[in-house]
Amino acid sequence: RARPDPRSSCVFVVRKDQDIYIQTLRKLFNESHGIFIGLQRSEEEFAGKSRKTQLVQVSKNYRSVIRACMEDMHQAAVSARDPALHSQYSTQVSILSAMELIWNLCEILFVEAAVAGPLLLRLLDWVRLHVCDVDNMVREVLSSENPSKHELFWNVVDVFVLQGRMDEARHLLSKEASANPTSVNMCRILDDLMKKMPVPSLGNTQTLTEMELKWQHWHEECQRYLQDGTFASNSHMESICKILLGDENAILEKKELMTTWYHFLVTRLLYSHPTVKPMELRFYAQSSMDLFLGGESSPEPLDTILMAAFEFELHQVIKECSIALSNWWFVAHLTDLLDHCKLLQSHNLYFGSNMREFLLLEYASGLFSHYSLWQLGVDYFDHCPEYGRVYLELHIERIPLNTEQKALKVLRICEQRQMHEQVRSICKIMAMKALRNNRLGSALSWSIRAKDAAFATLISDRFLKDYCEKGCFSDLDLIDNLGPSMLLSDRLTFLGKYREFHRLYGEKRFSEAAKLLLMLMTAHIAPCSFWMTLLTDALPLLEQKEVIFSAEQTYELMRCLEDLTAGKSDKQKFQDDDVETMKVEMLRLALARNLARVIVKEGTLEGS
Amino acid sequence: MGAPAALQACPSSLDNRISIWSVGDLGNVGLNGEYQGEPQLLCDIRHNGDVMDMQFLDQERIVVASSTGNVTIFRHHQNNQTLSANQRWEKAHYHVDRDASCGGAACTGVICSNPEIVTVGEDGRINLFRADQKDAVRTIDNADSSTLHAVTFLRTTEILTVNSIGQLKIWDLRQQRNEPSQIFSLTGDRVPLHCVDRHPNQQHIVATGGQDGMLSIWDIRQGTMPVSLLNAHEAEMWEVHFHPSNPDHLFTCSEDGSLWHWDTSTSVSEKPSFLHQGGRSTTYFSHNTINQSVVSAWLSNDPTKDRMEITNLIPNQTLSVNSLDILGPCLVYGTDAEAIYVNRHLFA
């Protein structure tokens, strides 16, 4: 890494890791979010077996989502014309495939916690599902005209035997028997052995001891046939018989057909120890890997993870996966599921939260950097009891709000969680933006949402300023229809009432207008700075032919005027220009004249 | 193209796309033998900015409102299944300085009546465009001091808008003055209104949805306040739609993740007895001739006489339902979980 040279300036181009957010992975994130929420919400009322069934179903759901994404990714890889894109998609397919492989094993060992007996069956299914390199060969042989004459015929039979697919192996054997009369006898015996092979049952039809007993007898029978040299004339069938007897070397000879050490492991178990107990797996796993790799190659990350699983080292599995995979999706969801299975001790990590929460927080934080997936992140934070809320508070304020609709969604999330600080802050941002764009109605709408009196005052001052400058109100549709929101701030109330005054005046309802005007000053709704304007507004009312203000009201007005002028210091009075002084003079005159008229009017008895 | 082709848009800023999907006919197997139930993507095209609203202008053209303030007409070429941008009005909506790089304001609503297109936006502006005409036919600047959230046609020359201070306004486009001809508002708090729709047959009945999830039914012939307020969703109601051919049914969707089907067809008020059904209404048929002589169930507000059935169509709700559309027996809606759902047997 170059040390920064003060003499040269560098510009670094930082690029976001696009790996995480490829189109098809978004589907993975969205669908798994639904499964995650369902799991969190599922009641723990079920205990024991039904709860376990429920958890296994959740695990299967996650896996089916992974497989669906694998399919889509595969389609995308096939149809991609750009080679870089094609390789990117293909890499993703292998990563997803590995994830599903690991998850499936974890499901068998941890979620379902298969016991001796069913354990082997599950492992066989697992191997059959994931070792597909041989599928093409199988298809080729089966679809050929004369399968038994095909050069790969015995390979396919071996594959079936190695995967414990006895019926299919027997089916092919029958073809060999009909094609080759000399081997009919051998085929019949081998077929018989395969048919009689005891397998663990899923139900309770036999106990383990019963099964072991039967298996022992069968094993001895196979042994006899081998030692008698029954299959001596056909090396293929002899090797199959050796496999049936669990001969490691015979099985190892078929390395290319098994392709992986864990396939080897399961085959070994099938033919030497079908009633293997979960805790015994670790010994077989280690030796299988050693035998299979034979010191030629070292274990890959995937191998290490699977080995940790066979050893029932949960934390090791999670740790290795975190290192090997580039995003937190896998470990976060798997750990959460294992936590629901009550398999993770809640030993705290250094920073206080437990493993499950730590991983979920990391995953969700990653989602927040995406313009659309952040909404999923919210739900994940919700289910992190220790730090979820704090993380949410910090992240939610940093979401870019490019449209009002997005802001509304963010606000709704904050309001639902009583995050009042964030609500205020976001509304303020939106209101300021609106104000800058001269959208006073929008700005007011945001202040109402946040119940932000200070901002409402700011907006009202803007309106009043506009009025003073232009002599008329802008946005009358807003001011005329404030409704109860008028009460949000005093200034806003004043604005509404002031506009009402103008309306009353326009409708020639002078006495009501006069009363309102006076009330605005005496009830101190109007800011002091505006009093002069209000008094000036009173002038036309004072000058009307008909007397409008009563004596009482006139005295009030005079008092207001005196309060206003008395409040000014001598210096201010000196600075007042002629217009100001003239205004005051005119007002005094008008008030005096009005007073005179009204005293006369009120003192006059109506003629009889 | 199968019957009703559903539209989908991914609302995200970098790789937004307009897509056309085909929802296959009943009984047909898809081209490659896949599930005839799965919507198939026919074609898509990049779109600049979030898709705020869109509508079919005619069989082939779609008008799309963008968060950048642009309004674009896309043409769907059915012969080779492609989409192309046909016409664009740049920065149809903008704040203050149109030429500033971020000067655009989101266009929040669009409504079409071929060849006319009306758009509204966060800038409080109303635009009237005509397809194939480069300049706007009419623009009302500062029509509203707050954000206009939605627009719909009331009559051929009148439109309805709703805004973020809870007002429903009627604008007469024949008149030259830039004032609404009527303003309606809710009493009480000025809750922003987000969506509006007009009854297909009875043009005086209007439904609006607000930020508090409340559904309001208005009779615009009378008064300035709604006829009924129905407490519906727990969060913003994003869209409200009367069923176009069966308007006794109304659909609303909300930020709270639910989609409600409001059914007044079982209402016993005012209907001639020969229309009463034994149980629930299970068929859909045009009420065109019937409605004219019958007071719409939407306007009656006697709760004892009317039974309105309300059903939430989403069993496991999680994220917001942003948009919905209905045609015949088919309902389409899209959620924030980046999924579209198609229900083709709405009245079954």
Side-chain angles (χ1 to χ4, degrees):
Chain A
R1 215 175 31 191
R3 237 173 299 138
D5 185 346
R7 283 168 301 165
S8 73
S9 44
C10 299
V11 176
F12 290 95
V13 177
V14 176
R15 193 180 51 110
K16 200 163 66 165
D17 183 4
Q18 281 298 313
D19 166 61
I20 315 176
Y21 305 122
I22 300 176
Q23 193 65 19
T24 328
L25 279 184
R26 282 168 71 169
K27 182 165 153 179
L28 179 71
F29 297 148
N30 275 295
E31 303 228 353
S32 59
H33 164 261
I35 301 172
F36 175 83
I37 298 292
L39 176 60
Q40 311 308 309
R41 286 182 190 166
S42 70
E43 298 296 317
E44 291 223 24
E45 57 196 35
F46 306 120
K49 206 150 188 270
S50 40
R51 176 70 175 160
K52 189 196 273 206
T53 321
Q54 201 181 35
L55 291 169
V56 170
Q57 187 55 51
V58 170
S59 179
K60 286 188 154 71
N61 289 342
Y62 275 122
R63 281 198 297 126
S64 81
V65 169
I66 299 176
R67 288 194 90 85
C69 285
M70 237 164 75
E71 265 307 306
D72 289 344
M73 197 71 84
H74 180 70
Q75 287 303 321
V78 161
S79 57
R81 289 194 216 103
D82 174 19
L85 210 56
H86 172 89
S87 87
Q88 196 178 34
Y89 285 141
S90 302
T91 319
Q92 277 299 334
V93 174
S94 356
I95 294 175
L96 285 169
S97 172
M99 290 206 291
E100 210 260 314
L101 177 76
I102 301 167
W103 193 300
N104 198 343
L105 184 62
C106 291
E107 180 184 305
I108 297 170
L109 297 176
F110 308 132
V111 185
E112 198 184 340
V115 295
L119 176 59
L120 181 69
L121 295 176
R122 292 278 185 254
L123 287 175
L124 274 173
D125 285 335
W126 178 65
V127 159
R128 288 174 196 155
L129 201 58
H130 290 101
V131 179
C132 341
D133 294 359
V134 294
D135 284 355
N136 281 338
M137 179 175 70
V138 169
R139 247 194 308 271
E140 206 184 298
V141 168
L142 288 177
S143 54
S144 72
E145 278 217 18
N146 237 330
S148 55
K149 297 282 186 274
H150 199 290
E151 53 171 359
L152 296 174
F153 172 76
W154 285 108
N155 282 3
V156 175
V157 180
D158 287 339
V159 164
F160 287 149
V161 171
L162 291 166
Q163 291 186 7
R165 288 151 80 170
M166 291 315 185
D167 291 337
E168 289 164 86
R170 289 172 54 211
H171 177 75
L172 279 184
L173 262 185
S174 69
K175 290 209 193 303
E176 162 70 7
S178 45
N180 198 348
T182 49
S183 56
V184 162
N185 215 26
M186 284 193 282
C187 287
R188 201 168 35 79
I189 297 172
L190 195 55
D191 175 271
D192 193 51
L193 285 177
M194 286 183 182
K195 193 167 76 179
K196 287 197 300 200
M197 180 172 113
V199 279
S201 67
L202 277 174
N204 286 332
T205 51
Q206 61 175 11
T207 63
L208 270 180
T209 0
E210 274 174 29
M211 197 222 117
E212 272 170 12
L213 213 57
K214 280 196 214 158
W215 190 83
Q216 201 56 45
H217 283 166
W218 173 84
H219 190 92
E220 280 161 14
E221 197 182 337
C222 294
Q223 191 76 36
R224 269 200 305 277
Y225 278 115
L226 185 69
Q227 280 168 352
D228 284 347
T230 321
F231 304 109
S233 55
N234 188 319
S235 61
H236 295 292
M237 290 204 249
E238 191 172 51
S239 110
I240 289 176
C241 188
K242 286 190 186 160
I243 292 173
L244 291 181
L245 284 168
D247 184 328
E248 271 169 23
N249 293 323
I251 302 175
L252 264 178
E253 268 173 34
K254 313 291 176 184
K255 225 168 150 184
E256 292 86 45
L257 296 177
M258 292 186 289
T259 68
T260 60
W261 62 270
Y262 37 94
H263 186 328
F264 174 55
L265 163 68
V266 175
T267 308
R268 255 181 96 195
L269 289 171
L270 173 64
Y271 293 116
S272 59
H273 192 40
T275 55
V276 61
K277 296 192 184 54
M279 285 306 151
E280 294 170 339
L281 279 175
R282 66 185 66 213
F283 310 115
Y284 288 97
Q286 191 59 58
S287 57
S288 298
M289 182 154 89
D290 293 337
L291 282 169
F292 194 88
L293 295 179
E296 283 167 10
S297 44
S298 51
E300 309 229 307
L302 178 61
D303 299 324
T304 329
I305 295 168
L306 292 173
M307 183 59 69
F310 283 121
E311 290 173 352
F312 281 77
E313 295 283 347
L314 271 178
H315 288 92
Q316 192 66 22
V317 172
I318 296 168
K319 180 173 154 211
E320 295 290 336
C321 288
S322 307
I323 297 169
L325 294 167
S326 64
N327 72 63
W328 297 101
W329 179 87
F330 181 80
V331 283
H333 289 86
L334 181 63
T335 311
D336 174 65
L337 178 61
L338 294 176
D339 189 65
H340 274 89
C341 298
K342 307 250 191 292
L343 290 171
L344 295 175
Q345 291 115 359
S346 57
H347 69 251
N348 282 342
L349 302 170
Y350 292 121
F351 23 83
S353 65
N354 60 29
M355 168 107 83
R356 168 191 171 271
E357 180 157 322
F358 168 71
L359 292 171
L360 286 175
L361 289 172
E362 287 297 313
Y363 172 64
S365 299
L367 289 175
F368 263 87
S369 61
H370 190 265
Y371 45 81
S372 153
L373 293 172
W374 60 269
Q375 286 178 289
L376 306 178
V378 173
D379 284 320
Y380 285 99
F381 281 143
D382 277 347
H383 290 103
C384 294
E386 285 242 20
Y387 291 114
R389 191 184 165 89
V390 172
Y391 268 68
L392 182 60
E393 282 173 4
L394 290 173
H395 275 107
I396 206 128
E397 271 189 323
R398 283 156 180 79
I399 296 172
L401 304 170
N402 53 335
T403 61
E404 289 201 355
Q405 194 175 21
K406 198 163 179 188
L408 288 171
K409 284 179 186 280
V410 174
L411 274 176
R412 184 59 63 184
I413 289 168
C414 294
E415 278 172 2
Q416 279 170 345
R417 291 155 182 78
Q418 276 94 44
M419 289 162 58
H420 303 299
E421 268 311 308
Q422 282 69 27
V423 171
R424 260 196 295 276
S425 147
I426 290 168
C427 284
K428 248 203 189 68
I429 293 171
M430 296 307 290
M432 268 321 285
K433 262 201 230 175
L435 209 55
R436 247 186 292 128
N437 288 324
N438 228 16
R439 316 288 320 138
L440 293 173
S442 290
L444 185 65
S445 162
W446 290 111
S447 342
I448 293 173
R449 178 87 184 248
K451 301 199 199 348
D452 191 340
F455 216 90
T457 306
L458 195 77
I459 296 168
S460 319
D461 279 339
R462 253 295 265 277
F463 273 114
L464 292 169
K465 191 161 88 89
D466 280 353
Y467 170 76
C468 287
E469 282 171 13
K470 296 188 199 134
C472 65
F473 285 108
S474 60
D475 304 316
L476 279 175
D477 64 331
L478 171 64
I479 310 176
D480 279 343
N481 291 293
L482 284 172
S485 59
M486 214 195 300
L487 302 171
L488 184 59
S489 107
D490 283 344
R491 196 58 51 81
L492 198 56
T493 316
F494 168 64
L495 180 64
K497 293 285 172 199
Y498 187 50
R499 167 66 195 147
E500 200 182 318
F501 162 72
H502 279 272
R503 249 214 328 269
L504 290 170
Y505 188 91
E507 292 168 10
K508 300 209 192 303
R509 289 151 68 181
F510 294 128
S511 56
E512 287 173 68
K515 232 196 311 219
L516 180 56
L517 185 68
L518 195 55
M519 193 261 290
L520 286 177
M521 283 188 282
T522 53
H524 293 284
I525 299 177
C528 287
S529 51
F530 223 75
W531 278 23
M532 202 58 209
T533 317
L534 289 175
L535 286 168
T536 320
D537 283 334
L539 263 178
L541 289 172
L542 292 165
E543 299 293 329
Q544 291 280 337
K545 265 220 183 67
E546 192 193 328
V547 168
I548 296 168
F549 287 101
S550 72
E552 196 60 50
Q553 287 174 325
T554 317
Y555 282 126
E556 285 287 340
L557 279 173
M558 287 167 123
R559 189 176 61 75
C560 289
L561 181 59
E562 290 316 309
D563 279 346
L564 196 57
T565 49
K568 288 192 193 164
S569 67
D570 283 330
K571 189 166 172 217
Q572 262 181 314
K573 280 188 191 149
F574 187 71
Q575 282 174 339
D576 271 346
D577 58 357
D578 288 332
V579 178
E580 277 301 307
T581 24
M582 192 158 79
K583 257 200 243 176
V584 175
E585 291 299 323
M586 276 181 66
L587 271 168
R588 288 220 175 93
L589 185 59
L591 283 166
R593 280 218 289 259
N594 192 65
L595 190 58
R597 287 187 344 189
V598 78
I599 289 176
V600 170
K601 179 179 166 211
E602 284 176 6
T604 308
L605 289 166
E606 291 300 306
S608 48
Chain B
M1 191 169 89
L7 282 197
Q8 177 254 358
C10 284
S12 52
S13 48
L14 287 179
D15 52 4
N16 284 304
R17 312 193 77 83
I18 305 284
S19 318
I20 302 230
W21 302 72
S22 156
V23 180
D25 288 320
L26 273 172
N28 274 4
V29 182
L31 283 174
N32 305 326
E34 62 299 275
Y35 261 152
Q36 95 285 53
E38 286 276 313
Q40 298 299 321
L41 177 64
L42 295 177
C43 48
D44 62 8
I45 190 172
R46 265 230 148 85
H47 179 262
N48 193 16
D50 295 354
V51 174
M52 307 296 296
D53 197 6
M54 59 180 163
Q55 238 212 345
F56 273 107
L57 179 62
D58 55 27
Q59 279 279 27
E60 290 184 338
R61 289 180 294 178
I62 307 151
V63 186
V64 179
S66 165
S67 63
T68 57
N70 298 346
V71 178
T72 317
I73 302 185
F74 289 96
R75 173 167 257 130
H76 176 217
H77 306 275
Q78 297 187 19
N79 49 356
N80 60 353
Q81 289 302 350
T82 53
L83 275 168
S84 63
N86 193 330
Q87 189 177 0
R88 178 169 289 137
W89 290 284
E90 298 270 346
K91 298 252 178 77
H93 292 276
Y94 56 95
H95 288 304
V96 191
D97 184 5
R98 193 175 195 173
D99 300 317
S101 60
C102 54
C107 174
T108 52
V110 68
I111 192 83
C112 310
S113 169
N114 205 357
E116 293 186 329
I117 300 164
V118 180
T119 70
V120 293
E122 282 181 13
D123 55 351
R125 181 171 276 115
I126 302 178
N127 286 314
L128 173 61
F129 296 108
R130 191 162 263 134
D132 303 322
Q133 236 176 10
K134 189 167 149 276
D135 294 321
V137 170
R138 175 131 178 239
T139 298
I140 306 178
D141 288 323
N142 220 12
D144 203 305
S145 61
S146 66
T147 300
L148 288 167
H149 283 297
V151 63
T152 191
F153 274 106
L154 178 62
R155 279 175 261 275
T156 42
T157 52
E158 288 182 321
I159 55 171
L160 287 161
T161 62
V162 289
N163 65 12
S164 59
I165 42 175
Q167 295 172 324
L168 171 67
K169 297 184 183 174
I170 303 183
W171 302 81
D172 188 339
L173 297 173
R174 285 169 306 193
Q175 294 191 8
Q176 275 315 303
R177 64 183 188 136
N178 290 344
E179 302 285 322
S181 49
Q182 244 187 309
I183 300 181
F184 301 86
S185 53
L186 300 158
T187 52
D189 283 329
R190 294 287 183 256
V191 177
L193 293 174
H194 284 291
C195 49
V196 63
D197 196 23
R198 191 209 75 202
H199 194 287
N201 311 320
Q202 303 188 307
Q203 293 177 344
H204 52 274
I205 303 178
V206 173
T208 61
Q211 199 168 90
D212 52 0
M214 181 118 45
L215 171 68
S216 313
I217 309 285
W218 311 69
D219 181 348
I220 57 172
R221 293 172 307 193
Q222 11 172 301
T224 54
M225 289 186 294
V227 164
S228 48
L229 294 168
L230 300 156
N231 233 328
H233 298 279
E234 290 163 6
E236 286 82 357
M237 184 189 300
W238 293 124
E239 289 203 9
V240 61
H241 288 279
F242 282 100
H243 191 291
S245 48
N246 203 358
D248 279 344
H249 298 262
L250 181 82
F251 297 86
T252 59
C253 66
S254 161
E255 176 71 19
D256 69 2
S258 60
L259 196 159
W260 290 22
H261 170 190
W262 307 70
D263 181 353
T264 57
S265 59
T266 54
S267 154
V268 278
S269 73
E270 316 287 344
K271 269 205 187 123
S273 58
F274 65 84
L275 285 176
H276 286 178
Q277 328 244 260
R280 289 157 76 153
S281 167
T282 54
T283 55
Y284 88 94
F285 49 92
S286 172
H287 278 237
N288 273 327
T289 47
I290 298 156
N291 279 343
Q292 255 124 46
S293 57
V294 159
V295 172
S296 172
W298 294 111
L299 291 184
S300 342
N301 42 19
D302 184 347
T304 57
K305 267 208 296 182
D306 309 319
R307 285 194 314 272
M308 188 172 352
E309 279 194 41
I310 308 169
T311 343
N312 181 3
L313 295 178
I314 300 181
N316 299 318
Q317 54 195 63
T318 47
L319 294 181
S320 164
V321 181
N322 291 324
S323 179
L324 72 97
D325 206 355
I326 17 172
L327 187 68
C330 191
L331 167 76
V332 172
Y333 60 94
T335 69
D336 265 340
E338 304 187 3
I340 350 165
Y341 296 82
V342 180
N343 178 344
R344 289 190 292 144
H345 309 286
L346 200 47
F347 297 107

